[in-house]
Each structure stands twice: as structure tokens, then as C-alpha cells.
Amino acid sequence: MSNTKENLFSPKNIKLLTAPLSRENPITVQVLGICSALAVTVKLQPAFVMAISVMAVVAVGNVVISLLRKTIAPRIRIIVQLVVIAALVILVDQVLKAFVYDISKQLSVFVGLIITNCIIMGRFEAFAMSNKAWPSFLDGVGNSAGYGIILIIVAFFRELLGSGTVWGYHVVPQFMYDIGYKNNGLMILPPMALIVVGIIIWVQRTKDKVLIEN
């Protein structure tokens, strides 16, 4: 048996961070976490905060589950996982209310609904229950980053085309409105989030043929 310790940022560990950004993206490839992608992407700012919140819950939760995995009886593992998620979600919700209250109001119940995000339970079950803490942390960061990138892309186009702003700042010049340009109200409706996600999936699979199912 080799006693060589694996480098913290070995190619295998780096892949845990980078693969979910493209070929293993939780939204566009695994089609998980779609509900929140539809709900919180009207504006860029709440989408960014939601992405950071999910990252905190998945990364820390993965580490906690990884450290506890050998002490958790198989028949109660789901209950333990839910307790860990609920505790972290409550903590994140309280932090948001304390430091970014206006955005926490915009996110409304959706922060609480992080507990139902399929990505989190999926990473606990598929990875943290059978791996050490550091790889589990990287896996959590990678998957939540892949989730967050899609949220931010969708929110960017919805806010720009729907409200004429980016991060709350007007970027469409006034003369465009003067010559007849109008914000597309359809972009701020939930169905357009689904359409934008669909376009991202189409573009990704067009560029990467490996992702096209037979």
C-alpha cells in the first residue's frame, strides 16, 4: 500500500471542482435544482445571493456528512442528512436577514426551500457518504458553483431584457427608449426562465456532442 498522501489540489481533486461547471453541471446536464432557477432569477442580485447560499449549505453540509458518515446507521441516514441541511439553511437564512435584509425579503421562502433542493441531497448521498472531508468539500463547492453559474446567466438575461438593468443599474440608454425600445415584460415571468435554461442546454449540447443522448 502506498503511503504517499494525495495532494490537496491533485488532478482528481481539481476535477471535482471543474467537472460540475460543464459536463456534469447539476442543472443543464443532471437537470436538478430547476425550481429555484426559475424562481429567483428575475434579478441578478438575489440570484447571486441564492447561489452563494446554496454553496455554503452544500460545501459545509458535505463536510459534516463526510465526517459523520461512519457513525450514521444506514436506516436513519436520510433523517440525519435532513437535520444537517435544515440546520445550515436556518443559519444561512438568519445571516441573510441580519446583513442583507432587503435581498432576503426578495428571496422570500426560497431560502427556506433550499432544504428541498435535489442537488444537496444528491451530493450527500452520491459523494459525501463515501468520501473524506476535503474531496467532499471540493465536490460541494464545484456542484454549487455549477448551479450558481447557470442561475447568474439566466438572471443576467432576464434582468437585462426584462427591466433594462444589470445588478439594479440601468444599462439600456435612454435614447433607445426614445426611439421605441421597450423592456420585454415576458422575460420577468417564470416561463421565460425555463426557456432561457432550455436555450443554455441546447447551446451546451450543440458545442459538446458527448452530452447528446442516443
Side-chain angles (χ1 to χ4, degrees), residues 16-17 20 58 62 123 127 134-144:
L16 294 174
L17 281 173
V58 183
N62 256 11
R123 297 330 299 167
F127 199 89
W134 177 245
S136 296
F137 175 76
L138 296 179
D139 177 79
V141 172
N143 276 276
S144 52

Side-chain angles (χ1 to χ4, degrees), residues 24-62:
E24 296 177 13
N25 188 281
I27 291 183
T28 61
V29 178
Q30 301 174 41
V31 197
L32 299 174
I34 292 288
C35 298
S36 57
L38 307 185
V40 302
T41 52
V42 175
K43 300 284 185 182
L44 194 52
Q45 207 168 11
F48 179 78
V49 172
M50 186 67 170
I52 295 297
S53 301
V54 170
M55 181 177 288
V57 173
V58 183
V60 177
N62 256 11

Side-chain angles (χ1 to χ4, degrees), residues 145-170:
Y147 164 85
I149 286 173
I150 300 303
L151 245 66
I152 289 169
I153 293 173
V154 174
F156 173 81
F157 286 107
R158 291 186 72 192
E159 182 176 353
L160 175 63
L161 301 176
S163 304
T165 61
V166 173
W167 202 268
Y169 296 98
H170 278 282

Side-chain angles (χ1 to χ4, degrees), residues 176-212:
M176 292 287 290
Y177 294 102
D178 293 339
I179 62 175
Y181 177 81
K182 291 186 182 298
N183 295 327
N184 187 344
L186 193 61
M187 290 299 292
I188 62 176
L189 298 178
M192 281 310 297
L194 190 60
I195 292 173
V196 176
V197 170
I199 292 172
I200 295 172
I201 292 174
W202 173 71
V203 170
Q204 184 183 17
R205 297 189 181 207
T206 300
K207 294 178 66 176
D208 191 347
K209 304 295 184 186
V210 173
L211 297 175
I212 299 177

Side-chain angles (χ1 to χ4, degrees), residues 71-193:
T71 66
I72 303 173
R75 65 181 180 278
I76 64 165
R77 72 184 193 286
I78 300 298
I79 297 174
V80 174
Q81 291 168 8
L82 287 174
V83 169
V84 171
I85 297 173
L88 291 171
V89 168
I90 291 171
L91 184 61
V92 167
D93 189 39
Q94 293 303 308
V95 169
L96 293 180
K97 285 178 178 173
F99 294 101
V100 284
Y101 184 68
D102 289 340
I103 294 178
S104 75
K105 286 203 312 183
Q106 291 180 46
L107 290 171
S108 183
V109 299
F110 296 108
V111 172
L113 288 176
I114 289 175
I115 193 172
T116 65
N117 193 314
C118 314
I119 297 171
I120 302 174
M121 286 295 288
R123 297 330 299 167
F124 285 6
E125 275 289 285
F127 199 89
M129 285 296 292
S130 56
N131 286 279
K132 294 180 179 177
W134 177 245
S136 296
F137 175 76
L138 296 179
D139 177 79
V141 172
N143 276 276
S144 52
Y147 164 85
I149 286 173
I150 300 303
L151 245 66
I152 289 169
I153 293 173
V154 174
F156 173 81
F157 286 107
R158 291 186 72 192
E159 182 176 353
L160 175 63
L161 301 176
S163 304
T165 61
V166 173
W167 202 268
Y169 296 98
H170 278 282
V171 294
V172 177
Q174 183 58 43
F175 79 86
M176 292 287 290
Y177 294 102
D178 293 339
I179 62 175
Y181 177 81
K182 291 186 182 298
N183 295 327
N184 187 344
L186 193 61
M187 290 299 292
I188 62 176
L189 298 178
M192 281 310 297

